[in-house]
Amino acid sequence: LPAQKGYVPTTENLRNREDFRDRKFGVFIHWGLYSMLADGEWVMNNKNLPYREYAKLAGGFYPSKFDAARWVADVKAAGAKYLCITSRHHDGFSMFDTKKSPYNIVDATPFGRDILKELADECHRQGIRLHFYYSLVDWYRTDYNPVGRTGREASRTLTGEWPAYHQFMLDQLTELLTGYGEIGAIWFDGVWDQDQNPGFDWRLDELYAQIHRLQPACMIINNHHLTPFEGEDGQTFERDLPGQNTAGYSASSTISSLPLETCETMNKSWGYRMTDTAYKSEKELIHYLVKAAGNNANLLMNVGPQPDGEFPAAAMERFRAIGKWLEQYGETIYGTRGGPVAPRHWGVTTQKADRLYVHILQKEDEVLFLPVPGKTIRSAKTFIGKKNVEYTVVPSGIALNVSEATDAIDFVVELELQ
Ligand code: H79
């Protein structure tokens, strides 16, 4: 597949990758015109809405409660260290001050504010790394031609030519990488939309080269569900831990050596959906974060803000709970890498410097066998309270007495290594 041939990441880029890995937890934000219809970000496609009618939503977009400082503070209080927001989703509406199309939040809405700029300023002020989601698919433009698997709305005749659309993307990415300060990553989505058009070429190489030219440190992540292409700096897994494919999206289960990320949403929708009250419990969400860390991956957890610009109350409750948990257990998550013990049914391990954290998420036995050489272990203590935990050295590892493990969300044993 086409990509940036011969790509060699710069030292700044490699540093950014490690910084990304250290951050471990990010908040994903899906927000756009679709939020007003309160039926998810695919509503335009799912309900086959005529694009000229859908576009009229812009005239009523006025999120009176939007406050970038507040959002970033809420994200921070959740314990997240980065934020990824939809700069433009499949509906084609730009949530930033683009000069390349009037179909954007500044020119087409009475709100008239560049929310990406406001967020970028706040992220930089508050120390949150900023990532931009950018859709390759476009259900609005007539030069998104040939039509893809989605967005086949009848009234939209595709008169334009593909090269114009590609130039549009290139120009918009240039805007995003020159007008908003340092960007941690561009997060692409939608490659799959053209995978039934034989011979189709996204010309990602040119997009990737431009991004890396403008901001060499900026990571490129592309949610294409395939083995990473040359030129990419990270690998994301949609609604799955790395290598799993329970969501049925992946065409490849390859886990690359690039920084890994799992993206998931708190309920079942990415964009705000009023009827979707199926929020995961605090425990489930924290377990997912811990499992991601144990699988050597970050977790990017989504919230779909309301059309008025506020996060739903159910999402806020969960953010606060995760934040509270991370205040106590953050040391076992941030800056760690997946531990030497492969993820198990009972839980996972994370590792940082001379510490190995054993996260028991689901207690099964009183004694846990860990294939970690006994002679490398200096001490075993409960992470909370630092009480000694008994263990015996066995031929191929240690047997850890975890009879004290409680039903807490995560019972962590801290092993100090030589
Ligand atoms: O932005 C969120 C979603 O809107 C977007 N990615 C997340 C982060 C997303 N779009 N689609 N999907 C997620 C699910 C993918 C469905 C697919 Fe298919 C299955 C793509 C290819 C096969 C269905 C059939 C849609 C296109 C063809």
Side-chain angles (χ1 to χ4, degrees):
L1 273 149
Q4 195 182 344
K5 293 236 165 51
Y7 171 60
V8 180
T10 60
T11 42
E12 304 104 284
N13 186 283
L14 295 174
R15 209 177 305 127
N16 187 32
R17 290 184 190 185
E18 291 315 298
D19 174 74
F20 170 75
R21 286 179 146 133
D22 288 346
R23 288 176 187 260
K24 277 290 168 300
F25 179 39
V27 165
F28 209 172
I29 298 180
H30 276 71
W31 201 44
L33 294 184
Y34 44 80
S35 308
M36 300 173 77
L37 298 181
D39 197 13
E41 78 290 353
W42 273 58
V43 59
M44 184 180 173
N45 174 84
N46 295 351
K47 297 263 164 74
N48 205 28
L49 305 177
Y51 76 103
R52 288 195 196 80
E53 294 303 311
Y54 180 91
K56 291 177 190 167
L57 286 170
F61 189 75
Y62 198 92
S64 58
K65 307 243 177 77
F66 174 76
D67 178 353
R70 184 63 193 279
W71 273 20
V72 177
D74 288 345
V75 162
K76 246 184 122 154
K81 304 291 188 194
Y82 65 105
L83 181 166
C84 182
I85 181 155
T86 46
S87 62
R88 178 173 140 278
H89 205 270
H90 308 337
D91 68 353
F93 187 75
S94 297
M95 294 294 281
F96 64 103
D97 183 17
T98 178
K99 303 291 180 236
K100 301 300 165 182
S101 162
Y103 194 44
N104 71 68
I105 192 165
V106 174
D107 296 315
T109 77
F111 194 57
R113 282 158 54 183
D114 185 347
I115 64 123
L116 253 52
K117 184 73 174 86
E118 292 180 24
L119 273 173
D121 291 346
E122 278 304 326
C123 283
H124 295 133
R125 208 172 61 78
Q126 299 191 43
I128 292 290
R129 203 92 170 122
L130 180 64
H131 297 185
F132 287 144
Y133 171 107
Y134 191 80
S135 175
L136 294 160
V137 180
D138 194 300
W139 297 330
Y140 177 81
R141 292 179 66 95
T142 55
D143 54 8
Y144 183 80
N145 186 6
V147 69
R149 288 165 74 141
T150 61
R152 295 162 177 274
E153 185 263 306
S155 75
R156 179 165 152 259
T157 46
L158 299 180
T159 48
E161 301 287 338
W162 178 263
Y165 179 68
H166 187 270
Q167 187 64 47
F168 166 72
M169 290 198 291
L170 196 68
D171 291 346
Q172 280 210 317
L173 289 164
T174 303
E175 290 180 324
L176 290 171
L177 289 158
T178 52
Y180 299 86
E182 216 176 279
I183 302 305
I186 296 290
W187 204 100
F188 288 106
D189 197 8
V191 159
W192 40 259
D193 198 49
Q194 293 289 345
D195 63 12
Q196 291 181 338
N197 290 330
F200 182 86
D201 183 356
W202 280 104
R203 287 165 56 193
L204 292 174
D205 49 347
E206 292 163 57
L207 304 183
Y208 288 6
Q210 176 77 339
I211 293 165
H212 285 140
R213 184 159 52 238
L214 294 171
Q215 292 203 25
C218 182
M219 291 172 64
I220 294 173
I221 297 176
N222 194 333
N223 183 32
H224 48 50
H225 313 151
L226 302 165
T227 302
F229 308 159
E230 211 175 352
E232 294 172 4
D233 306 290
Q235 184 179 15
T236 198
F237 294 83
E238 184 169 345
R239 311 198 65 176
D240 263 317
L241 292 170
Q244 294 187 344
N245 188 21
T246 57
Y249 298 148
S250 295
S252 156
S253 55
T254 307
I255 300 173
S256 74
S257 60
L258 297 175
L260 309 175
E261 178 182 68
T262 283
C263 64
E264 178 53 292
T265 184
M266 277 200 209
N267 48 5
K268 291 187 153 75
S269 314
W270 300 96
Y272 178 61
R273 176 175 273 133
M274 201 184 288
T275 54
D276 185 355
T277 54
Y279 279 82
K280 293 163 192 71
S281 67
E282 296 164 3
K283 186 170 175 173
E284 276 177 277
L285 294 170
I286 293 168
H287 276 193
Y288 212 54
L289 173 62
V290 174
K291 284 182 194 171
N295 278 273
N296 203 28
N298 287 12
L299 177 64
L300 180 61
M301 180 55 64
N302 183 72
V303 58
Q306 297 162 180
D308 66 358
E310 286 196 326
F311 295 150
M316 276 307 301
E317 277 173 35
R318 282 149 184 87
F319 275 157
R320 286 195 202 97
I322 300 169
K324 209 172 136 200
W325 185 85
L326 275 167
E327 258 174 42
Q328 228 186 338
Y329 290 87
E331 200 182 318
T332 72
I333 301 293
Y334 301 125
T336 64
R337 300 293 181 267
V341 182
R344 296 287 158 81
H345 195 249
W346 52 259
V348 298
T349 59
T350 56
Q351 190 170 15
K352 180 165 55 183
D354 64 349
R355 291 289 192 280
L356 178 62
Y357 301 104
V358 183
H359 298 262
I360 301 161
L361 301 173
Q362 200 177 323
K363 186 179 161 188
E364 289 176 335
D365 299 304
E366 306 294 293
V367 175
L368 257 191
F369 170 74
L370 296 173
V372 179
K375 63 175 185 315
T376 64
I377 297 168
R378 230 183 245 265
S379 71
K381 293 191 166 72
T382 57
F383 175 69
I384 300 292
K386 307 290 182 222
K387 277 173 37 193
N388 280 326
V389 176
E390 287 170 26
Y391 66 93
T392 50
V393 178
V394 294
S396 47
I398 63 164
L400 195 64
N401 181 343
V402 293
S403 55
E404 304 248 333
T406 56
D407 256 352
I409 290 176
D410 181 8
F411 184 84
V412 182
V413 177
E414 178 181 330
L415 302 181
E416 192 191 350
L417 307 174
Q418 302 281 3

